[in-house]
Amino acid sequence: MCGIVAAAAGSNIVPVLVEGLKKLEYRGYDSAGLAVVGATGIERVRSVGRVAELEAAAAGTSAPTGIAHTRWATHGVPCERNAHPHVSGGIAVVHNGIIENYESLRRELTDLGYEFTSDTDTETIAHLVEHLLRAEPDLFRAVQLACRRLVGAYAIAVIDQRQPGKVVVSREGSPLLLGLGDTGSYAASDASALLQVTRNMVYLENGDIAELTAAGVRIERRDGKPVERPVHVSELSAAAVELGQYRHYMQKEIFEQPEALANTLEIVGGAKSIQPGIFGAEAANLLHDVDQVLILACGTSAHSGMTARYWLEAIAGVSCTVEIASEYRYRTSVPDPRQLVVAISQSGETADTLAALRHAKSLGQHKTLAICNVPESAIVRESALRFITRAGPEIGVASTKAFTTQLAALFLLTLVMAKVRDRLSEAEEAAYIDQLRHLPVAVNKVLTLESEIEAWARRFADKHHALFLGRGRHYPIALEGALKLKEISYIHAEAYPAGELKHGPLALVDAQMPVISVAPNDELLEKLKSNLQEVRARGGELYVFADADAEIPSTEGVHMLRLPEHYGQLSPILHVIPLQLLSYHAALVKGTDVDKPRNLAKSVTVE
Ligand code: HGA
């Protein structure tokens, strides 16, 4: 979602701001802007569209202090007038998040004579700070006072033309970190934006306010208490966020899956058995009396949770519920303190998942586990146990390697739960570990299908709808395939458990409706084959991803691609790969913006 970059340094920081925004482009945005404290006061440049356009528009701008932003609109349509920074008098503000009490603040500030020129909630912050500066001329203090009035989630950065050389930032709910450089201080929504100037990062806590100058930073809490925050040396490699030989980040990330899985599973590399400690020192203690699992997640992460439900119940014999985080947080549920609450999120900052986790804790559910790709994220920090997937930075909005590494983590959880519950023999454990060890190689083999899938994708160019079918633990894989196709090719796609076809969706099937089926050689194959016959009998065209050893004849109207031999319980991890490739190539054929699909954003940090 929105990206923030801010800098206070000894020389011109405009190139740093622009380069930082480019690194945050992957988060998704609709407009961009920057403001600096120039010789004549605040100089602001904004543009609807790409950061490259902003860069061109800001070519003549130069100053040592400034703030910059990519906006993903929540309040007010994407247009230049609503793009950040927003200004009031001598100050300029960029904001990530939502100010929930903006309507009452807007009324109050309008009554005080402030004129609103945008439809955003953000503009209230600009006027509020400007107003508070009348009584409290120090920018740091004025922002501190303003934050006490804001309700909602935010990360903000503020500059004041009367106090050049200074940026004040604060966070509550939305991500923000500081970068400590040799000749300047910086802030950004994530570390990738600041690697160009420093590796020394300080992660702000909710309620922190920081002042950045060329000489360094100081941090206080909202109530005025000074705090020290540790400096982390980021290990993120700059190459990890470069495109390299690939056309798109999504393609790169699909092909990085063998490595991402190998890194994530390194923990079982030489091991003969898996210990609860991989989820944290407290895990053995905390998991021993768990009688149920509740998984909270959104989007693709919810699909990994749904797949894990099949594993947890079949292998570990523990009952499992998967809830969409935005639903769970607002419904009245029956808390069970012995339930393990698992929050899954690539970024670890997904607003709905974080709020759902907090909600569960407020109900007395303290057995919590985070499965995230970002170690310092809020969800990780706020959970009792954690497993950090090692997918590396995921830039493409459509999640791929984060999904398969989440699945690997959830499979490890299944094995640990099975052991804790005495449901796993040594021989079974050894066999699963062996399969996990070979998983990267198996994924590699599936990736070799790319050119055949590309040929299939061409047939999707004129299609407006598609149906995805799966059964059992591959039903969530069908859901994920449909989501991928929707997200990046804008083809309307639905997924159904294949047995459900005859209860409604079969009415949609005709020659114009491609039906994509996940057909592993498992215990449900014969049932699935009957469902495929039902489609053929109605003239539907079938695209079947079958295992090499699955007996499905390829007849007229039935296109078939063969994966390697059936991979047992871990087969969903293999079967999602061709669906990712299919949506990627369908999007290429349709000419959509693969890495930045319309209306969508990475790291969904607003509700
Ligand atoms: N509410 C602000 C910022 C939106 C945002 O953080 N998106 O990720 C706006 O609409 O401009």
Side-chain angles (χ1 to χ4, degrees):
M1 307 224 105
C2 298
I4 289 179
V5 188
S11 55
N12 178 23
I13 45 68
V14 172
V16 175
L17 297 180
V18 170
E19 183 57 26
L21 288 187
K22 284 185 182 165
K23 289 287 183 282
L24 297 181
E25 281 193 290
Y26 75 91
R27 299 164 72 93
Y29 67 103
D30 45 58
S31 47
L34 62 81
V36 297
V37 185
T40 53
I42 296 287
E43 291 172 26
R44 173 173 65 167
V45 189
R46 297 183 291 178
S47 80
V48 177
R50 300 284 132 203
V51 172
E53 287 156 38
L54 178 75
E55 182 176 23
T61 313
S62 159
T65 312
I67 55 179
H69 190 256
T70 45
R71 175 174 190 245
W72 186 82
T74 63
H75 290 60
V77 296
C79 64
E80 192 170 323
R81 189 172 56 83
N82 286 334
H84 301 208
H86 290 285
V87 297
S88 178
I91 68 133
V93 176
V94 290
H95 161 227
N96 176 7
I98 290 175
I99 303 303
E100 287 174 3
N101 59 338
Y102 83 100
E103 279 167 325
S104 61
L105 285 174
R106 191 171 169 128
R107 273 195 300 275
E108 183 183 325
L109 290 156
T110 307
D111 289 346
L112 286 167
Y114 290 92
E115 208 176 300
F116 281 76
T117 58
S118 79
D119 307 317
T120 64
D121 49 340
T122 305
E123 195 179 350
T124 55
I125 309 174
H127 294 310
L128 182 61
V129 174
E130 174 65 17
H131 184 65
L132 292 167
L133 276 168
R134 292 187 183 178
E136 171 50 80
D138 177 48
L139 182 64
F140 185 82
R141 291 274 164 252
V143 172
Q144 202 164 39
L145 291 173
C147 289
R148 291 180 199 161
R149 303 266 340 257
L150 302 179
V151 178
Y154 55 84
I156 57 173
V158 191
I159 49 174
D160 181 1
Q161 66 187 25
R162 292 149 293 200
Q163 303 172 62
K166 198 190 272 185
V167 180
V168 178
V169 301
S170 181
R171 73 162 285 199
E172 179 64 49
S174 302
L176 196 70
L177 53 85
L178 308 182
L180 311 180
D182 291 339
T183 56
S185 307
Y186 308 87
S189 306
D190 78 43
S192 61
L194 300 184
L195 286 178
Q196 53 167 329
V197 279
T198 183
R199 289 195 166 273
N200 297 331
M201 311 287 176
V202 173
Y203 291 89
L204 293 180
E205 300 277 335
N206 284 337
D208 282 353
I209 316 225
E211 183 180 85
L212 282 57
T213 62
V217 301
R218 74 179 169 109
I219 310 172
E220 282 186 10
R221 304 286 299 151
R222 209 151 45 219
D223 64 9
K225 228 189 268 147
V227 275
E228 294 283 332
R229 299 277 174 228
V231 179
H232 296 263
V233 180
S234 174
E235 286 171 11
L236 198 64
S237 99
V241 288
E242 302 293 342
L243 201 47
Q245 57 172 337
Y246 294 95
R247 279 178 77 180
H248 296 97
Y249 283 108
M250 184 181 180
Q251 187 190 28
K252 175 178 185 244
E253 287 155 11
I254 290 173
F255 280 85
E256 279 174 349
Q257 288 178 110
E259 193 188 337
L261 283 163
N263 290 340
T264 300
L265 292 168
E266 196 181 278
I267 209 148
V268 295
K272 290 210 167 46
S273 78
I274 295 172
Q275 300 307 324
I278 59 174
F279 293 96
E282 281 299 298
N285 211 0
L286 195 143
L287 295 177
H288 85 276
D289 63 343
V290 163
D291 62 357
Q292 256 186 44
V293 176
L294 168 65
I295 296 180
L296 302 173
C298 310
T300 289
S301 300
H303 296 155
S304 71
M306 288 172 74
T307 313
R309 175 172 177 239
Y310 288 86
W311 290 335
L312 284 161
E313 299 211 346
I315 301 172
V318 61
S319 85
C320 173
T321 317
V322 184
E323 281 216 44
I324 297 296
S326 55
E327 284 296 311
Y328 170 77
R329 63 184 285 199
Y330 290 120
R331 83 178 175 88
T332 308
S333 54
V334 182
D336 171 359
R338 284 175 47 182
Q339 204 172 36
L340 175 69
V341 178
V342 182
I344 311 175
S345 156
Q346 188 281 130
S347 66
E349 302 285 349
T350 310
D352 282 321
T353 310
L354 179 57
L357 172 69
R358 288 178 180 158
H359 178 65
K361 286 167 71 176
S362 76
L363 296 176
Q365 305 215 190
H366 295 295
K367 292 179 183 287
T368 54
L369 163 66
I371 295 185
C372 298
N373 196 34
V374 180
E376 301 87 358
S377 59
I379 291 176
V380 171
R381 281 185 277 132
E382 295 186 25
S383 299
L385 304 178
R386 73 229 24 226
F387 187 95
I388 309 300
T389 53
R390 290 175 55 199
E394 191 178 64
I395 309 285
V397 168
S399 180
T400 52
K401 61 179 181 170
F403 178 68
T404 43
T405 52
Q406 283 168 359
L407 287 176
L410 287 160
F411 196 78
L412 293 176
L413 176 66
T414 303
L415 296 185
V416 164
M417 289 299 297
K419 275 184 84 165
V420 169
R421 297 165 65 80
D422 252 342
R423 305 263 310 204
L424 196 67
S425 70
E426 270 181 35
E428 283 167 327
E429 186 178 4
Y432 283 131
I433 292 179
D434 210 41
Q435 271 203 320
L436 285 170
R437 225 174 265 143
H438 288 97
L439 189 59
V441 176
V443 169
N444 240 333
K445 281 198 196 145
V446 183
L447 288 168
T448 61
L449 295 175
E450 188 182 26
S451 56
E452 289 160 86
I453 294 171
E454 195 177 347
W456 275 17
R458 276 183 233 124
R459 308 172 71 116
F460 282 70
D462 60 343
K463 298 288 187 268
H464 299 290
H465 308 275
L467 265 184
F468 284 71
L469 302 179
R471 289 193 83 130
R473 56 186 175 264
H474 295 86
Y475 163 52
I477 297 308
L479 283 169
E480 177 60 9
L483 179 65
K484 288 286 91 87
L485 194 69
K486 277 185 266 217
E487 280 180 311
I488 58 166
S489 73
Y490 316 148
I491 295 173
H492 168 230
E494 298 287 344
Y496 280 92
E500 191 63 11
L501 258 192
K502 53 191 174 294
H503 298 287
L506 206 50
L508 296 171
V509 172
D510 62 14
Q512 287 314 307
M513 173 73 91
V515 179
I516 298 122
S517 179
V518 183
N521 189 17
D522 63 9
E523 57 287 358
L524 292 168
L525 182 63
E526 290 309 318
K527 302 275 172 213
L528 179 77
K529 278 160 74 174
S530 307
N531 304 137
L532 301 186
Q533 288 303 332
E534 293 161 9
V535 173
R536 269 315 289 147
R538 272 95 192 156
E541 197 154 1
L542 280 162
Y543 294 83
V544 182
F545 291 101
D547 288 343
D549 49 1
E551 275 180 38
I552 311 181
S554 171
T555 51
E556 204 210 322
V558 183
H559 309 276
M560 183 89 59
L561 273 180
R562 299 278 179 184
L563 275 74
E565 280 175 15
H566 184 54
Y567 214 70
Q569 289 285 355
L570 288 161
S571 161
I573 301 184
L574 299 192
H575 268 275
V576 76
I577 310 276
L579 304 187
Q580 296 168 344
L581 285 167
L582 182 66
S583 58
Y584 171 70
H585 285 287
L588 282 192
V589 173
K590 295 209 103 175
T592 58
D593 193 346
V594 173
D595 286 331
K596 301 182 203 80
R598 69 184 180 203
N599 306 340
L600 298 182
K602 195 83 183 158
S603 308
V604 187
T605 52
V606 296
E607 201 184 324

